[in-house]
Amino acid sequence: MPEGPSVRKFHHLVSPFVGQEVVKTGGSSKKLNPASFQSLWLQDTQVHGKKLFLRFDPDEEFGSLGNISLPESLEKGERKEEASDQKQASGPSSQKISHSSSQSLELVAPRGDHGLERLCGDTPAEGAERWLQVSFGLFGSIWVNEFSRAKKANKRGDWRDPIPRLVLYFGGGGFLAFYNCQMSWSSSPVVRPTSDILSEKFDRGQALEALGQEQPVCYTLLDQRYFSGLGNIIKNEALYRAGIHPLSLGSLLSPQHLEALVDHAVEFSADWLQGKFQGKQQHTQIYQKEQCPGGHRVMKEAFGPPGGFQRLTWWCPQCQPRLPPDGQA
């Protein structure tokens, strides 16, 4: 699913529409009536981890239409990154999702890594600020002023374009198309900058304390309470670059190892985000690889807490040796 850097890109795509009125709507959403957006004004946008929050209001507060022009680098990079995100998200996983079935797709994952909980009802409350929470599935995306097109035929040989969950046309002449998103209304955005790995207010101390628990660090890295926006790609890359086995218990790792792990997680995320604005594909060293950069064979297995979501994990036994139960980092 789109991780923090991708959702930050979506946030920047949506921001130019702030201050504009919705003049026409469309989409296949059954749980969220697209017509309910008619004549609403997009007044604010916020991002936190893997979630995007959009505030709509029935009254115009800004008095003028926003500028819908996009940064040239972002406009060019959007199509390139969309294809890359879909390819990376699918991977060699046993769970396969077709865009042709996007009309009925609704993903709900356990809290923790994904945290796709429904906050409120499907229609905004009268008199309340209307914050739309957008959570992205495996292939969730937002397109600006164009629609996603089929990149290959389905199993029946049909070339069917993905169906947007929601389409919002604005008074300035542009439109937003939301694909494979879970959306719900809430009274306020749920934003905790101290846990967002791409926020300037990210709390390293809190993150280090969480990693030091007596549980595999690959579980903790996906805990959105401490590493909001960190997903499976970032997890795998940070662990490899820090030379840490995914199942290493945090309590057995030295402070230096834990510091290095946080550094690599933040650095990889920031580089990935910068690359998205430049239209560049993020290059991975271990994720979905058969060999690591050192030429060693890469292992792959699904790891996750008992009873929790199991995520495919790639690691190199040579570069990321596993510590014995009573070992020292």
Side-chain angles (χ1 to χ4, degrees), residues 63-100:
S64 62
L65 294 177
N67 181 3
I68 64 172
S69 62
L70 297 173
E72 184 178 357
S73 61
L74 184 57
E75 198 167 11
K76 291 180 178 179
E78 169 67 6
R79 298 181 187 87
K80 196 179 299 183
E81 282 299 330
E82 170 69 15
S84 173
D85 288 344
Q86 291 182 8
K87 181 178 179 182
Q88 287 184 324
S90 57
S93 172
S94 59
Q95 184 179 11
K96 296 189 180 297
I97 297 175
S98 171
H99 270 289
S100 62

Side-chain angles (χ1 to χ4, degrees), residues 143-149 161-162 164 166-167 169 175-177 179:
W143 286 62
V144 178
N145 300 334
E146 65 175 326
F147 294 102
S148 177
R149 302 300 180 187
D161 291 334
L166 176 68
V167 183
Y169 297 87
F175 68 89
L176 297 171
Y179 291 89

Side-chain angles (χ1 to χ4, degrees), residues 251-298:
S251 57
L252 298 181
L253 295 174
S254 68
Q256 291 76 18
H257 276 84
L258 296 177
E259 289 275 4
L261 183 55
V262 173
D263 286 341
H264 284 294
V266 172
E267 180 180 350
F268 180 84
S269 302
D271 289 345
W272 190 1
L273 177 60
Q274 182 179 8
K276 284 183 175 294
F277 284 106
Q278 298 172 348
K280 299 178 181 179
Q281 181 178 345
Q282 178 65 29
H283 295 287
T284 58
Q285 295 184 9
I286 197 74
Y287 181 73
Q288 295 186 351
K289 303 294 185 182
E290 295 184 356
Q291 285 189 339
C292 76
H296 309 129
R297 181 188 175 193
V298 170

Side-chain angles (χ1 to χ4, degrees), residues 222-241:
L222 293 180
D223 192 329
Q224 300 299 288
R225 295 175 299 175
Y226 310 109
F227 297 94
S228 184
L230 195 154
N232 207 37
I233 298 175
I234 301 174
K235 177 201 76 176
N236 281 280
E237 291 299 311
L239 286 168
Y240 174 74
R241 295 166 196 229

Side-chain angles (χ1 to χ4, degrees), residues 6-325:
S6 298
V7 179
R8 291 262 173 170
K9 179 190 70 175
F10 298 152
H11 175 254
H12 282 276
L13 289 172
V14 171
S15 293
F17 290 86
V18 169
Q20 296 193 41
E21 182 184 15
V22 178
V23 296
K24 182 182 175 182
T25 65
S28 65
S29 176
K30 303 299 183 184
K31 296 184 178 180
L32 193 71
N33 182 13
S36 65
F37 291 87
Q38 186 74 36
S39 300
L40 295 181
W41 293 77
L42 177 60
Q43 302 289 34
D44 194 9
T45 67
Q46 294 190 30
V47 62
H48 177 64
K50 300 179 184 179
K51 297 178 182 179
L52 181 65
F53 298 91
L54 310 177
R55 185 170 73 84
F56 291 89
D57 194 272
D59 300 317
E60 178 184 8
E61 294 180 357
F62 289 78
S64 62
L65 294 177
N67 181 3
I68 64 172
S69 62
L70 297 173
E72 184 178 357
S73 61
L74 184 57
E75 198 167 11
K76 291 180 178 179
E78 169 67 6
R79 298 181 187 87
K80 196 179 299 183
E81 282 299 330
E82 170 69 15
S84 173
D85 288 344
Q86 291 182 8
K87 181 178 179 182
Q88 287 184 324
S90 57
S93 172
S94 59
Q95 184 179 11
K96 296 189 180 297
I97 297 175
S98 171
H99 270 289
S100 62
S101 64
S102 62
Q103 184 170 1
S104 59
L105 176 64
E106 287 285 352
L107 292 180
V108 179
R111 297 187 66 175
D113 176 24
H114 289 72
L116 303 183
E117 69 268 24
R118 189 174 299 276
L119 294 185
C120 290
D122 299 322
T123 58
E126 289 296 330
E129 286 189 336
R130 302 161 184 242
W131 285 95
L132 181 71
Q133 174 183 288
V134 184
S135 300
F136 300 88
L138 287 179
F139 303 112
S141 63
I142 298 177
W143 286 62
V144 178
N145 300 334
E146 65 175 326
F147 294 102
S148 177
R149 302 300 180 187
K151 296 176 177 60
K152 63 180 181 180
N154 59 25
K155 293 181 179 180
R156 297 180 180 179
D158 299 326
W159 286 77
R160 294 186 179 181
D161 291 334
I163 302 174
R165 196 69 57 82
L166 176 68
V167 183
L168 300 177
Y169 297 87
F170 291 86
F175 68 89
L176 297 171
F178 298 76
Y179 291 89
N180 287 349
C181 303
Q182 181 179 354
M183 297 172 284
S184 61
W185 292 104
S186 64
S187 59
S188 63
V190 182
V191 178
R192 294 177 57 240
T194 56
S195 65
D196 192 326
I197 57 173
L198 286 171
S199 171
E200 294 180 352
K201 298 181 180 179
F202 177 63
D203 190 336
R204 289 178 57 89
Q206 175 182 268
L208 290 168
E209 183 178 355
L211 282 173
Q213 300 177 74
E214 193 175 353
Q215 72 171 5
V217 287
C218 69
Y219 300 175
T220 308
L221 284 173
L222 293 180
D223 192 329
Q224 300 299 288
R225 295 175 299 175
Y226 310 109
F227 297 94
S228 184
L230 195 154
N232 207 37
I233 298 175
I234 301 174
K235 177 201 76 176
N236 281 280
E237 291 299 311
L239 286 168
Y240 174 74
R241 295 166 196 229
I244 298 174
H245 191 283
L247 294 180
S248 296
L249 299 182
S251 57
L252 298 181
L253 295 174
S254 68
Q256 291 76 18
H257 276 84
L258 296 177
E259 289 275 4
L261 183 55
V262 173
D263 286 341
H264 284 294
V266 172
E267 180 180 350
F268 180 84
S269 302
D271 289 345
W272 190 1
L273 177 60
Q274 182 179 8
K276 284 183 175 294
F277 284 106
Q278 298 172 348
K280 299 178 181 179
Q281 181 178 345
Q282 178 65 29
H283 295 287
T284 58
Q285 295 184 9
I286 197 74
Y287 181 73
Q288 295 186 351
K289 303 294 185 182
E290 295 184 356
Q291 285 189 339
C292 76
H296 309 129
R297 181 188 175 193
V298 170
M299 305 295 291
K300 179 186 71 174
E301 192 172 342
F303 295 139
F309 206 74
Q310 307 294 302
R311 302 301 306 271
L312 280 176
T313 303
W314 287 261
W315 79 97
C316 173
Q318 308 262 355
C319 302
Q320 300 166 263
R322 185 172 183 178
L323 296 175

